[in-house]
Structures are given as structure tokens and as C-alpha cells.
Amino acid sequence: LALAPKDKLIFLFLLEDSMLRPDIWTNFFADAPKDSYRGFAHCSIPFQCSLNMQSYLDMGISLVPTQSWFGGCEVWPWWVLVKAALASDFVAGEGLRKFIFVEASTLPIQPFSFVYQTLLQSDSNDICFSPSDEWASGKVEGKDLALVKHHTWVVLNRFGAESFVHGWEVMFEKPEWNFVWRAPRMGTNGFANFSDTVSRNDFNDWRCNLEEIFAAFIYGMYEARVDKVW
């Protein structure tokens, strides 16, 4: 495995009480150089996860404090995970970083070396966008805007991870089930402008926030004037 020593993968696990088939994940990480990756896991039932604490540590995975989600369609646990990863010494420094969002039932089917080399071929965010006819639309101040819908399981670069954490901190308005968040418009640089925002309530078709916030907080909303950017 030829590694660029400064480039690293960060695995983010959203768990309930345990990891599905930890034996498979243990084998996956067994041949990975320890400085090439780290894992962070959020457990909704922390006591159960703590019973397997040593196995997580052996795999290079740290458990983060549990955040009870009360809205946001599970955004809060992801926010806690990404924020903890960004604050770690492992993520600091030069080189590429890829933050991989992993569901409890996810299992690797390729060896670590393949995943490492594939994801670190570029520094782009890896997000699967839905067809434009599935995007939530709205008219604000006479302008047609849309929130780009995407798959909930994404791979972000460092800038994307930082944009997500910052965006949820400043754009989330109500810490309750009847939550509201604001979506930034795209700036002239092709990324989200958090000083120019619109309420999510101004758009039709409510959906899980995780299907919109990564694109919204990294790139901003879609509108005709930046059609060529999208």
C-alpha cells in the first residue's frame, strides 16, 4: 500500500447500540497503517456501546459524547461527530482529509488500500445528487430558488466538513421538534454565503434535512443565475 503520509481518512459511524459485524470491520482496518485513518462513533444507546469500548479502541475508533436528537432528522449526531473529528489532533495539519459518513449496517466490501487510494485521488466532496425534478423549490423576492437534494451518505473534504459544522451552528433556529433552519444562497465564489440566507419554510416539499443540508451549507441554493456552476 503506497500512501501519501499526510493524507488521511476519517470514518464517522452513526450507531444505535453496536456496530454490525465488528469482525469484518476489524479485518478491514487490520492492515491499515495507523496514521492513515481514524474513526469516530456516536451511539444513541451509549451504555451498550461502552461494553465494547476496547474493541472500538483496537480499531482506532473513539466514541463521542451522545447527543439526543430532537429534530433535524438526525443532523445533531452527525454534527457532533464531525465537530469532534475536526477538533482532533489527527485531522490537524497538512494533507487531504476525507470524512466518510457510515451507517450502522454498512459493511466494507473492498480492502482498505482500495478505499484509501480511491477516495484520496482528489480533494473533492463526493455527493450523489438527485434529479432536479426532486429538488424543493420556492420563490423569494421574485427569484426562483431550489434546494438541491442529495443522498444522505456522503464523503466530504475538510472544507465541506467545516462548512457543514459551521452551517448547522449558525443556520439552525429552533432546538425543538418544530425546528427551522436557514439555507444560504450561493456566493460569487461558488460556495455558500452565510450572510445571505432564506428560511427553509419558504420552500415546498419538506424532506429529511440530511438530504439537503450538505449541498446547502457547502455550495448554497440553486438559482438560475448560477446555473453554469451547478
Side-chain angles (χ1 to χ4, degrees), residues 166-173 180-184 194 197 217:
H166 173 71
W168 193 242
E169 287 177 345
V170 299
M171 295 289 101
F172 184 78
E173 294 189 327
V180 176
W181 61 279
R182 300 188 65 82
F194 290 103
T197 64
F217 292 165

Side-chain angles (χ1 to χ4, degrees), residues 85-142:
L86 287 170
S88 68
D89 292 338
F90 179 79
V91 170
E94 299 179 354
L96 303 184
R97 303 289 184 270
K98 285 295 184 76
F99 297 77
I100 306 164
F101 290 59
V102 184
E103 189 180 21
S105 60
T106 300
L107 293 175
I109 60 174
Q110 297 285 357
F112 179 88
S113 59
F114 179 88
V115 174
Y116 183 95
Q117 293 168 352
T118 300
L119 292 182
L120 290 168
Q121 284 180 349
S122 75
D123 192 29
S124 62
N125 293 298
D126 302 307
I127 303 175
C128 181
F129 295 112
S130 302
S132 58
D133 60 0
E134 297 181 17
W135 301 354
S137 60
K139 186 177 288 290
V140 180
E141 298 178 353

